[in-house]
Amino acid sequence: MKCKKFILKNHFDGMPKKTDFKLMEEDLPPLKDGDVLFEAVFLSVDPYMRAVSSKLPIGITMIGAQVARVKESKHPDFKVGDNVVGQFGWRTHTVANPDEVVSGFGEKSRPYILPDFGDVPLSAALGVLGMPGNTAWFGLTKICKPKAGETLVVTAAAGAVGSLVGQIGKILDLKVIGFAGADDKCKMLTEELNFDYAFNYKTRDITEALKEAAPNGVDCYFDNVGGPISSAVMNEMNTFGRVACCGSISAYNADPKNPPLAPVVQNAIVLKQLSLQGFLSSRWKDCWFEGIVQNLEFIKQGKLKFKESVIKGFEKMDEAFLSMFTGDNTGKIVIEV
């Protein structure tokens, strides 16, 4: 049996390009005891892949999660027909022992069998009911530790994670301010996703916007972008404010030998006694389903909406990945095989 896969042909230099990938075929090995044959149903592209891939060897199968279906099994815990989420990378079929699967971060990452989502589509397991949803839930509640009535700022607020962080913030009775890169995205945040304020960072001064929307200061900041925006937000935070450092998409495509500079934040951190903490969602792998169950309940209650950009065709994996860096999509990008 043959499998299609994308390999990393070149390390990215600036903005990723289609020529940085190569679509190939390979023959799959026969199953040994403990092995499972997984067939991809939906695949994910995420911003972290840009940063992590720079540390991976050329020629490796491009990393990433997928929803896959068990087609054949010689493992007692996985039966034919099970839907799982696994770190199999950009490939249509995978033969692997689930106990030995490793993520792009080099950690053991055993695939997990999905529960019944009811009316929620299976693709949500890569978004609101998967890593992005858990990143939002755990990052906000465990790192920011918000209290009702506080003010939350979210950057990349129309993205797969940011759009969920803001909505969960509203569920927790916070004032929520989002920053995105287009007027239509800002309109969507306030009119559809219940954000209190949303500003286009390309056309509004960050400090002036926060003076308007948060005259009493910012308590929690969910940072997805880094750079000058984050410096400006931290300077508007209250004493003992908390910052969840989730990503730095503003710098992912920069030359690592000449990284972009941003205004210093140490004065704000020291004088305001801010707490900043970086995190990976895998920190909470031992209670992973807590986030999934909670977000599923919010969806059923009509409190949490999610956006998906579904791109059909495995051969479009590279195009889907590139689209994340041009702002063409809203919410989670998913590829349907």
Side-chain angles (χ1 to χ4, degrees):
M1 184 177 185
K2 290 189 180 293
C3 154
K4 293 180 181 180
K5 67 176 185 178
F6 277 92
I7 65 167
L8 183 65
K9 185 179 177 183
N10 305 299
H11 284 136
F12 305 126
D13 182 9
M15 187 75 75
K17 302 176 288 295
K18 284 178 67 68
T19 52
D20 293 327
F21 306 99
K22 184 177 181 181
L23 179 60
M24 301 179 64
E25 283 192 349
E26 71 174 17
D27 292 317
L28 293 175
L31 273 65
K32 304 187 300 289
D33 286 343
D35 283 351
V36 178
L37 171 60
F38 298 99
E39 182 178 69
V41 182
F42 295 100
L43 296 101
S44 179
V45 291
D46 300 281
Y48 80 84
M49 297 173 179
R50 172 63 178 82
V52 174
S53 63
S54 64
K55 300 173 173 43
L56 300 177
I58 295 298
I60 193 171
T61 300
M62 189 61 185
I63 59 174
Q66 59 176 250
V67 173
R69 188 159 295 140
V70 175
K71 303 300 288 183
E72 186 179 346
S73 178
K74 291 187 177 182
H75 193 290
D77 296 340
F78 294 80
K79 65 180 187 296
V80 174
D82 282 344
N83 294 313
V84 310
V85 170
Q87 296 288 335
F88 304 132
W90 294 13
R91 51 189 302 129
T92 58
H93 298 81
T94 303
V95 171
N97 184 323
D99 302 321
E100 298 175 358
V101 174
V102 176
S103 74
F105 294 97
E107 305 171 332
K108 280 288 185 72
S109 182
R110 194 177 195 265
Y112 58 88
I113 299 171
L114 292 172
D116 183 3
F117 288 167
D119 295 333
V120 180
L122 192 60
S123 54
L126 298 175
V128 63
L129 300 181
M131 184 273 288
N134 278 3
T135 298
W137 170 253
F138 290 118
L140 180 59
T141 61
K142 304 296 187 183
I143 305 294
C144 287
K145 299 178 180 177
K147 304 177 185 68
E150 290 189 324
T151 296
L152 164 69
V153 169
V154 186
T155 46
V161 174
S163 60
L164 301 175
V165 172
Q167 292 181 84
I168 294 171
K170 290 302 298 178
I171 294 169
L172 299 178
D173 199 24
L174 306 177
K175 177 193 279 189
V176 177
I177 302 165
F179 286 95
D183 290 340
D184 59 339
K185 291 183 178 181
C186 293
K187 183 177 181 181
M188 179 270 294
L189 292 173
T190 55
E191 295 185 0
E192 297 182 37
L193 302 188
N194 205 28
F195 281 56
D196 294 288
Y197 295 89
F199 299 100
N200 185 342
Y201 69 86
K202 295 179 180 178
T203 58
R204 283 296 304 267
D205 179 84
I206 305 298
T207 300
E208 290 180 1
L210 291 176
K211 295 290 188 187
E212 172 189 330
N216 296 319
V218 174
D219 303 292
C220 301
Y221 174 32
F222 199 102
D223 184 8
N224 288 307
V225 304
I229 295 176
S230 292
S231 299
V233 173
M234 287 185 215
N235 278 303
E236 297 305 314
M237 295 189 74
N238 292 323
T239 302
F240 303 122
R242 288 86 67 200
V243 182
C245 299
C246 180
S248 181
I249 197 169
S250 67
Y252 285 165
N253 292 320
D255 181 354
K257 296 180 181 179
N258 294 287
L261 302 179
V264 295
V265 294
Q266 281 76 9
N267 284 343
I269 294 170
V270 173
L271 296 177
K272 298 171 183 288
Q273 301 181 70
L274 305 180
S275 297
L276 288 80
Q277 190 169 357
F279 70 96
L280 299 174
S281 59
S282 58
R283 179 190 304 186
W284 296 281
K285 62 183 178 182
D286 292 339
C287 55
W288 190 252
F289 280 93
E290 173 193 318
I292 294 174
V293 169
Q294 182 61 77
N295 285 335
L296 181 58
E297 183 61 25
F298 287 152
I299 293 171
K300 290 179 177 178
Q301 293 171 355
K303 297 178 179 179
L304 185 62
K305 299 178 181 179
F306 61 96
K307 298 279 187 179
E308 286 186 334
S309 296
V310 179
I311 298 173
K312 295 189 176 183
F314 178 78
E315 291 76 9
K316 296 181 180 179
M317 286 290 305
D318 52 353
E319 296 176 16
F321 179 75
L322 301 181
S323 72
M324 286 191 301
F325 302 101
T326 59
D328 294 337
N329 295 283
T330 300
K332 183 72 186 78
I333 303 173
V334 177
I335 296 82
E336 182 177 0
V337 178

